[in-house]
C-alpha cells in the first residue's frame, strides 16, 4: 500500500563534517528530509522519523539516541558492513535494516586482483627501485594456477572469484555452508574447513563481515596454518585480523606478505610498524571507492525507498542476527 508522502520523514546520519550525500533532491520532493551528524543532533531528529539513512558506518550515535526512535521502520546503511549499527535493541526489534551490498563488489574485486598481481610481479620492490633510480633485473612469480582462498564467499567474494579465475587462478571459498558445486568457485568449504584450506592457499583474501564469530579470526593460529609463501589480503573489516599476531607472522616470515585496506585502528597511526614493512601493501580503507560512488549509494537507497514507499519487499535486507545481508 502506498504511503502518503506528506507523512514521511527521512533522517540522514552523516559523519561530523561530511557533506550531504549527492542526489537527494528527488527525495525532498517526496518526504521531509532531516540531517544529523552526532548523538545530540540525532536525538533531535529521530522523533517522528520513519526511515534512517546512515552514511557513517562507524557511528555510535544510533545506539545512544535509540530511545528517541518512536516511529522508525527502516534503517539503510550506505556500506556493506553493518557491524557498528548492531546492538541488542535493534537486533531484537522490528526495525528493518538494509545495506549497500553490490555497489562496491566489482571495485573491491579489482583491488584484490591488483594486489595479487603486484605481489606476483614484485611491484612494491620495483617502485622502491624506481624512486632510488636503480636498475635491478629480477625474476618474478606467475599468478596462473595459484590457489586463492576467499574467506567470506558472499557477493564480494563471488566477484573476486570471477576475476582471479579469469587470469587462470584457482578460487576456493569459505562460507557458513559448504557447497561443492558453484558457478564461480572451484568449491566453497564450510567454516570448519578454514584451517585445512589455509594450508592450501597461495593468497588468502578476507572478505568476511565483522561479527562476534569473525572478530580476531586471523590470529597466530590462522597464520601458522598458512604456507610461509602465502600472502593475506584484507578488504573486509580490520578487527577480523589480530594486528599484533599479523606483525609477528610477517616479521618471522610465517607468511610472505599482506595487503591491507582495513585496520583494527583507523586511521593507522603514523608511527605504526606496518608502514615501514617492505612485504606490506597498504591503502586507506578505499578498496571499494570509485569515482561517483557516493551518488551510486544514493541512487541505490532511492531505489529501495521506492519499494518501501509501495510497501514492497526491500532488497539487501540484513539478517540482524548474523550481521550481514544474505
Amino acid at each position: 500500500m502506498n504511503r502518503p508522502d506528506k507523512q514521511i520523514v527521512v533522517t540522514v546520519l552523516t559523519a561530523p563534517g561530511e557533506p550531504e550525500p549527492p542526489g537527494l533532491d528527488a527525495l525532498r520532493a517526496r518526504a521531509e528530509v532531516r540531517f544529523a551528524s552526532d548523538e545530540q543532533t540525532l536525538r533531535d531528529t529521530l522523533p517522528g522519523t520513519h526511515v534512517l539513512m546512515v552514511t557513517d558506518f562507524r557511528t555510535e550515535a544510533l545506539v545512544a539516541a535509540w530511545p528517541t526512535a518512536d516511529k522508525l521502520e527502516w534503517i539503510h546503511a550506505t556500506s556493506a558492513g553493518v557491524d557498528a549499527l548492531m546492538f541488542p535493541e535493534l537486533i531484537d526489534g522490528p526495525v528493518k535494516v538494509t545495506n549497500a551490498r553490490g555497489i562496491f563488489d566489482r571495485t573491491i574485486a579489482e583491488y584484490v586482483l591488483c594486489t595479487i598481481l603486484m605481489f606476483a610481479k614484485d611491484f612494491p620492490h620495483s617502485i622502491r627501485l624506481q624512486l632510488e633510480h636503480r636498475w635491478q633485473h629480477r625474476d618474478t612469480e606467475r599468478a596462473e594456477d595459484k590457489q586463492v582462498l576467499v574467506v567470506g564467499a558472499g557477493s564480494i567474494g563471488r566477484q573476486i572469484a570471477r576475476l582471479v579465475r579469469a587470469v587462470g587462478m584457482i578460487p576456493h571459498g569459505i562460507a557458513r555452508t559448504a557447497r561443492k558445486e558453484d558457478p564461480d568457485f572451484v568449491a566453497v568449504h564450510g567454516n570448519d574447513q578454514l584451517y585445512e584450506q589455509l594450508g592450501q592457499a597461495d593468497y588468502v583474501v578476507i572478505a568476511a563481515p565483522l561479527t562476534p564469530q569473525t572478530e580476531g579470526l586471523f590470529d597466530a593460529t590462522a597464520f601458522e596454518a598458512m604456507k610461509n609463501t602465502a600472502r593475506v589480503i584484507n578488504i573486509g573489516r580490520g578487527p577480523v585480523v589480530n594486528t599484533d599476531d599479523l606483525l609477528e607472522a610477517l616479521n618471522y616470515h610465517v607468511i610472505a606478505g599482506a595487503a591491507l585496506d582495513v585496520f583494527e585502528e583507523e586511521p593507522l597511526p603514523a608511527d605504526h610498524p606496518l608502514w615501514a614493512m617492505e612485504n606490506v601493501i597498504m591503502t586507506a580503507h578505499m578498496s571499494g571507492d570509485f569515482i561517483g560512488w557516493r551518488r551510486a549509494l544514493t541512487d541505490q537507497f532511492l531505489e529501495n525507498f521506492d519499494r518501501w514507499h509501495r510497501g514492497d519487499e526491500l532488497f539487501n535486507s540484513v539478517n540482524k542476527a548474523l550481521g550481514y545481508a544474505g
Side-chain angles (χ1 to χ4, degrees), residues 33-313:
V33 181
R34 304 172 180 175
F35 292 90
S37 59
D38 53 27
E39 177 185 339
Q40 186 54 57
T41 52
L42 189 60
R43 285 183 180 274
D44 294 339
T45 54
L46 264 186
T49 294
H50 301 94
V51 178
L52 178 65
M53 178 184 181
V54 181
T55 68
D56 180 9
F57 67 88
R58 297 183 181 93
T59 185
E60 297 179 355
L62 182 58
V63 62
W66 188 251
T68 66
D70 55 349
K71 294 186 178 180
L72 193 61
E73 298 181 22
W74 166 38
I75 298 171
H76 177 74
T78 60
S79 58
V82 294
D83 46 276
L85 299 180
M86 293 294 105
F87 52 93
E89 292 83 357
L90 173 57
I91 293 171
D92 297 335
V95 176
K96 297 178 180 179
V97 179
T98 58
N99 72 350
R101 182 185 186 191
I103 294 293
F104 303 109
D105 296 4
R106 180 72 179 195
T107 314
I108 291 175
E110 291 172 358
Y111 174 98
V112 170
L113 179 58
C114 175
T115 56
I116 288 174
L117 295 177
M118 286 180 72
F119 278 128
K121 302 309 170 188
D122 200 20
F123 259 70
H125 192 188
S126 293
I127 292 170
R128 288 193 297 272
L129 291 171
Q130 180 181 348
L131 293 173
E132 297 169 3
H133 296 197
R134 292 174 56 196
W135 180 283
Q136 185 181 103
H137 178 272
R138 290 113 54 223
D139 295 334
T140 60
E141 304 169 17
R142 296 182 66 172
E144 187 178 18
D145 293 330
K146 295 294 178 68
Q147 181 165 314
V148 180
L149 180 66
V150 183
V151 182
S155 62
I156 294 173
R158 185 170 298 284
Q159 287 290 338
I160 293 168
R162 290 174 183 171
L163 284 192
V164 301
R165 200 166 194 170
V167 297
M169 304 186 80
I170 304 167
H172 286 249
I174 295 288
R176 289 178 65 245
T177 304
R179 48 186 189 268
K180 292 183 179 180
E181 295 186 5
D182 187 280
D184 299 304
F185 292 94
V186 172
V188 175
H189 313 273
N191 290 334
D192 60 338
Q193 297 295 306
L194 173 63
Y195 295 116
E196 177 183 338
Q197 291 302 313
L198 286 176
Q200 307 298 318
D202 299 292
Y203 294 91
V204 176
V205 183
I206 303 170
L210 179 59
T211 67
Q213 291 72 37
T214 62
E215 185 169 4
L217 178 64
F218 277 80
D219 57 8
T221 302
F223 296 126
E224 288 166 4
M226 294 169 59
K227 297 179 181 179
N228 59 13
T229 55
R231 283 91 170 203
V232 63
I233 301 167
N234 189 7
I235 48 79
R237 280 289 182 259
V240 175
V241 174
N242 182 305
T243 306
D244 291 339
D245 289 356
L246 173 63
L247 277 170
E248 185 167 346
L250 291 166
N251 278 323
Y252 290 97
H253 307 290
V254 177
I255 60 174
L260 308 170
D261 185 54
V262 291
F263 304 85
E264 283 189 282
E265 181 181 4
E266 295 184 6
L268 190 69
D271 60 351
H272 198 283
L274 280 171
W275 288 107
M277 302 190 79
E278 293 188 356
N279 54 349
V280 174
I281 298 170
M282 296 195 309
T283 49
H285 205 141
M286 53 186 278
S287 63
D289 296 347
F290 55 91
I291 296 171
W293 64 270
R294 290 179 175 85
R295 179 57 189 260
L297 289 174
T298 300
D299 290 344
Q300 183 189 54
F301 167 73
L302 292 175
E303 184 180 351
N304 230 358
F305 181 83
D306 286 340
R307 299 175 69 92
W308 176 84
H309 187 268
R310 295 193 302 266
D312 294 343
E313 183 178 354

